[in-house]
């Protein structure tokens, strides 16, 4: 069974840092495109960053230079290092697996809440 | 950047009714890049439809997708109690690569 479990969210002050983790089971993360998608409270979905099976990464313009995605194949885990956090980064962060075509996301974790506030 | 606009914002219907949700793209897109998701309160989104009209694994056949160009539709033929949720359309290929509509809430009338 495919499972994604996020962790690492919490309350952080503006300008602070946080690292999110997404532990995968039931499949190998290095074979798929893996992504982070966020949802601000009461709002819609926003793609944040992704990690291709070949190692390339991409980011939404709103987070470029502040958030860094990485992957540990030995732990079958995806990470999101979040620096210089702003109030507008407050959201539930979901880890999602891309389909083989990577056009869509066919498996999602339950999400982890990041709150940026003083 | 392609903008996806969903309508209506909220759809109030009774169980057993037919639901028709719209997703309009700001410019013509290939249907292969269009998907629909369902999200229930406190839960992660779930892929329903991909390629505009193909049902994802395990999705009941009361869910169907159609459309091309700029206009796409998600239809739920007969609403079951578990179908009351928020639905998002999603497109791949513009900048940013993955964009979502703002969502349509299907609520019990």
């Amino acid at each position: 069974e495919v499972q994604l479990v996020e962790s690492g969210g919490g309350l952080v002050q503006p300008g602070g840092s946080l690292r999110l983790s997404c532990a995968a089971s039931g499949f190998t993360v290095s074979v798929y495109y893996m992504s982070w998608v966020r949802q601000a409270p009461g709002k819609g979905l926003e793609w944040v960053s992704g990690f291709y099976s070949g190692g390339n990464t991409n980011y939404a313009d709103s987070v470029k230079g502040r958030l860094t995605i990485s992957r540990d194949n030995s732990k079958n885990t995806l990470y999101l290092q979040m620096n210089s956090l702003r109030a507008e980064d407050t959201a539930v962060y979901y880890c999602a697996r891309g389909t083989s075509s990577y056009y869509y996301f066919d498996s999602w974790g339950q999400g982890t809440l990041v709150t940026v506030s003083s | 950047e392609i903008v996806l606009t969903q309508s209506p914002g909220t759809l109030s219907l009774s169980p057993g009714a037919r639901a028709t949700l719209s997703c309009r793209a700001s410019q013509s897109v290939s249907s292969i890049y269009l998907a629909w998701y369902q999200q229930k309160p406190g839960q992660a989104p779930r892929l329903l439809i991909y390629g505009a009209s193909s049902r994802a694994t395990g999705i009941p056949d009361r869910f169907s997708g159609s459309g091309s160009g700029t206009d796409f539709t998600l239809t739920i033929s007969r609403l079951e109690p578990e179908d009351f949720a928020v639905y998002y359309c999603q497109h791949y290929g513009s900048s940013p690569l993955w964009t979502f509509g703002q969502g349509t809430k299907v609520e019990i009338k």
Side-chain angles (χ1 to χ4, degrees):
Chain A
E1 179 192 3
V2 172
Q3 196 168 14
L4 297 166
V5 179
E6 301 96 333
S7 60
L11 175 63
V12 60
Q13 293 187 339
S17 298
L18 214 53
R19 189 178 84 152
L20 308 183
S21 299
C22 169
S25 58
F27 73 102
T28 303
V29 294
S30 62
V31 175
Y32 289 85
Y33 177 80
M34 298 296 297
S35 190
W36 290 96
V37 177
R38 69 184 180 184
Q39 186 170 36
K43 302 298 184 181
L45 301 166
E46 179 189 19
W47 171 79
V48 171
S49 179
F51 202 113
Y52 289 92
S53 58
N56 289 339
T57 59
N58 49 5
Y59 299 91
D61 287 344
S62 59
V63 305
K64 208 170 287 185
R66 300 187 300 116
L67 275 57
T68 303
I69 193 170
S70 62
R71 184 180 74 192
D72 186 332
N73 294 341
S74 67
K75 296 182 178 180
N76 211 32
T77 298
L78 185 74
Y79 300 99
L80 187 67
Q81 178 65 44
M82 311 174 71
N83 298 332
S84 303
L85 283 164
R86 307 167 179 168
E88 54 265 35
D89 295 317
T90 294
V92 173
Y93 284 73
Y94 294 102
C95 172
R97 186 183 80 170
T99 58
S100 57
S101 66
Y102 56 78
Y103 301 157
Y104 331 104
F105 303 108
D106 63 359
S107 295
W108 298 66
Q110 85 290 349
T112 187
L113 175 62
V114 173
T115 303
V116 184
S117 175
S118 54
Chain B
E1 178 186 355
I2 291 177
V3 177
L4 300 177
T5 301
Q6 294 186 238
S7 62
T10 301
L11 200 51
S12 298
L13 294 168
S14 301
R18 181 183 185 90
T20 302
L21 287 67
S22 172
C23 175
R24 177 162 291 178
S26 57
Q27 58 187 276
S28 183
V29 301
S30 174
S31 60
I32 191 174
Y33 300 137
L34 199 288
W36 291 90
Y37 297 83
Q38 176 194 66
Q39 187 179 33
K40 297 179 182 179
Q43 296 186 18
R46 176 174 71 147
L47 179 65
L48 292 177
I49 300 287
Y50 64 93
S53 60
S54 297
R55 277 186 298 277
T57 302
I59 302 304
D61 59 8
R62 63 179 180 274
F63 290 92
S64 62
S66 63
S68 63
T70 60
D71 292 306
F72 297 87
T73 300
L74 174 69
T75 302
I76 311 171
S77 59
R78 289 180 57 85
L79 282 165
E80 298 288 340
E82 61 268 27
D83 299 337
F84 292 92
V86 179
Y87 293 84
Y88 295 94
C89 57
Q90 174 243 310
H91 175 258
Y92 166 84
S94 62
S95 178
L97 280 175
W98 292 266
T99 54
F100 294 88
Q102 84 279 15
T104 290
K105 181 180 182 181
V106 179
E107 65 176 22
I108 299 175
K109 185 174 182 180

